[in-house]
Amino acid sequence: MNKSKRPFTKSKRSFRRRLPPIQSGDRIDYRNMSLISRFISEQGKILSRRVNRVTLKQQRLITIDIKQARILSLLPFLNNQKQFER
């Protein structure tokens, strides 16, 4: 059998690198609601670091600020809208 063998070449898939959610100029603060609300699910849960695509240090700061905003009642602890829609 005489099969033509192609040399192994890596497939050249182009992919677009997604921008990080926290830019270098953004300040992580419990009062910055537009930034903090990006890291909370619709149910009010804190999203994981893999979903957020942030560093470990940034995730710790985000978690602390979300909890602080909840204590100061800037954010709800739970968002159970579906229970009341009956």
Side-chain angles (χ1 to χ4, degrees):
M1 290 189 178
N2 207 2
K3 289 185 179 179
S4 63
K5 298 210 176 201
R6 289 188 311 179
F8 176 74
T9 57
K10 240 181 181 177
S11 64
K12 297 195 176 191
R13 288 189 295 166
S14 64
F15 63 94
R16 194 177 128 203
R17 202 168 201 195
R18 297 173 82 190
L19 295 172
I22 298 178
Q23 303 298 329
S24 60
D26 288 341
R27 183 176 163 88
I28 301 172
D29 192 25
Y30 69 94
R31 291 172 292 193
N32 192 352
M33 299 309 295
S34 61
L35 180 68
I36 286 180
S37 60
R38 285 190 253 168
F39 304 108
I40 299 176
S41 69
E42 290 186 12
Q43 290 83 27
K45 295 180 181 179
I46 301 172
L47 295 173
S48 70
R49 193 179 137 228
R50 285 180 295 157
V51 175
N52 291 337
R53 291 186 355 268
V54 293
T55 64
L56 181 62
K57 191 174 185 179
Q58 288 173 336
Q59 181 70 20
R60 284 190 192 127
L61 290 172
I62 289 165
T63 304
I64 291 168
D65 287 336
I66 289 172
K67 290 178 180 179
Q68 193 171 5
R70 284 176 176 166
I71 290 170
L72 294 172
S73 68
L74 298 173
L75 282 175
F77 280 91
L78 291 173
N79 191 7
N80 292 333
Q81 294 289 335
K82 292 180 180 176
Q83 289 180 352
F84 302 112
E85 290 180 1
R86 292 181 194 166

